[in-house]
Structures are given as C-alpha cells and as structure tokens.
Amino acid sequence: MRAEALDITIESRNGAVWLVLSGPFHIEQAPNIREKITVLVQDGNRNIVVHMEDVTFVDPRVPRMFVELLNGIRGKGGDLRFVFRNEIVSKAFAPYRNLLSVYPNPEALSAGGFIGALKRQTQVLFRRTGIRISRPVAVFLVVIIGLWFLSLGFIIRLQSRTIRKQTQEIQELSRWKQEAEVEIEELTERLEPIEQLGLLPELDEDE
C-alpha cells in the first residue's frame, strides 16, 4: 500500500466536468480515473477537463492511458483537455503534447477560442495521419490561413462594391430609357395632327 493517495474532486464549471487531481498519480490509480471518466461520458458529458496542477508524481504510463481515453471521447464527439504547468506533470506529458490539449491555467482554457479549436482539429489530423508539425510551422500555417481569409474578405468586399456600382448604372440607364420613351411618345402625339394634314415631308427610304 502506498502512503499517499491521489485526491479526486469532480466539479461542474461552465458546461464542462472538471476532475481536479492532487497528490501522487501512481499507475494503480489509472483504472479508477479511467472508470470515472468513462462513466461521465456514458452519462452524456462530452466536455471533460482534468486539472493536474497539484499532482506531485506521475507514472510514465499514465499519459498513455489518457491518450487512449481521448480517442474514445472524441469518437463520441467530445473532448478531453488538461490544465497544468508544473514541472513534474509537464515532463511526464512532454512526449504527448502534440496529441493532448494542455493549458497552463483555467483562464487560458476559457480563452482558447479559435486557436484552441484549430489546435484540436490539427491534433485529430495528427492522430489519423501520423504527421506531426512543429510549433513554428503550425504558427506559420495559422498566419497563412489568417491572411488568406483577409484576402478573401477584401476580394468579396471589392466585388460587392463593383456589383453595387454596376447596379446603380443599370438603374440609371433604365430610368433614362423610360424617360426617353415618354418623350418619344409625347413628340409622336404632337406630330400626329401635322402628319395627318400632310405637312410633314416624306423621308426617302434611302436617307
């Protein structure tokens, strides 16, 4: 028996279920954690957060257990994220940082936004293809995608402006055509009595 035990607290925060762990995380605790998370997912919870900042020891086999759980949770449309930045846990999880979503604190987790979602999608791609991208390359790709969206937005805006201008020109030409037709009709009505009196010169068909 080990002298210290892993303390586990389950909380609900902002639509997610948090497992707050503290103390040493020996491999003997892995089945217990696996069972708790599995039950939570079976009960319909799809957003699981594991807080490990206060964990004082991590067995090297524990991160692999979480990777296996993550695959099952994402297969059901959920996600498994982690909060920690202490040296012990960071060192144990270092080989798996490209596969797991890790945040240094709860505030960073809440502010994940678009970048966090993009990171999770790329992690799914990594698992499926076996391809890993370094952080600088990932940042470069994000910048390129951002610039592409900006360029696309500029082009759409420019085209919209051109379309509005052409629409205005078409409306002005239509209005001019209507006014010209009215004037022609009025002139025709004025010339009709003169034409009936035969006072209008006949135009040569060759003219």
Side-chain angles (χ1 to χ4, degrees):
M1 297 293 293
R2 300 190 185 269
E4 298 180 67
L6 180 69
D7 292 330
I8 306 169
T9 303
I10 299 178
E11 304 174 357
S12 178
R13 303 183 192 176
N14 300 323
V17 177
W18 286 59
L19 275 74
V20 182
L21 311 180
S22 61
F25 197 154
H26 298 286
I27 193 61
E28 291 84 355
Q29 286 286 348
N32 184 26
I33 296 297
R34 180 191 292 273
E35 181 181 1
K36 290 182 182 300
I37 294 177
T38 301
V39 170
L40 289 171
V41 174
Q42 290 176 348
D43 289 343
N45 299 287
R46 294 294 181 266
N47 193 357
I48 310 296
V49 179
V50 181
H51 190 289
M52 302 181 67
E53 181 61 24
D54 296 326
V55 172
T56 57
F57 169 82
V58 179
D59 187 283
R61 292 166 288 183
V62 166
R64 293 198 297 270
M65 180 268 294
F66 280 120
V67 171
E68 294 172 0
L69 279 172
L70 176 64
N71 292 332
I73 293 173
R74 285 185 174 166
K76 297 179 182 298
D79 199 8
L80 177 64
R81 293 173 289 172
F82 299 83
V83 175
F84 62 79
R85 60 181 173 186
N86 75 55
E87 184 177 355
I88 294 174
V89 182
S90 297
K91 184 177 180 180
F93 277 76
Y96 306 93
R97 291 295 289 265
N98 286 336
L99 301 176
L100 303 174
S101 299
V102 179
Y103 300 83
N105 50 56
E107 291 74 20
L109 174 64
S110 301
F114 170 76
I115 298 299
L118 180 62
K119 179 181 177 183
R120 291 191 291 274
Q121 291 300 320
T122 54
Q123 288 168 351
V124 173
L125 177 64
F126 295 159
R127 287 203 315 278
R128 291 179 178 177
T129 63
I131 300 174
R132 295 191 180 184
I133 300 178
S134 64
R135 187 178 299 273
V137 175
V139 172
F140 174 76
L141 291 176
V142 170
V143 171
I144 292 298
I145 293 173
L147 292 175
W148 182 80
F149 275 111
L150 289 176
S151 300
L152 182 61
F154 175 78
I155 293 172
I156 292 175
R157 183 177 179 182
L158 185 63
Q159 290 180 341
S160 298
R161 185 180 301 176
T162 302
I163 292 173
R164 286 197 300 269
K165 183 178 179 180
Q166 292 176 345
T167 302
Q168 291 176 353
E169 292 177 352
I170 292 173
Q171 291 175 347
E172 291 177 359
L173 289 173
S174 298
R175 185 164 51 251
W176 178 84
K177 178 182 178 182
Q178 292 175 354
E179 292 175 354
E181 290 176 348
V182 171
E183 291 181 1
I184 292 172
E185 186 176 352
E186 290 178 354
L187 289 173
T188 302
E189 291 178 354
R190 291 177 184 178
L191 293 174
E192 186 175 355
I194 299 176
E195 184 180 5
Q196 290 176 352
L197 294 174
L199 299 178
L200 288 177
E202 295 183 0
L203 296 177
D204 190 349
E205 293 181 356
D206 295 334
E207 294 182 356

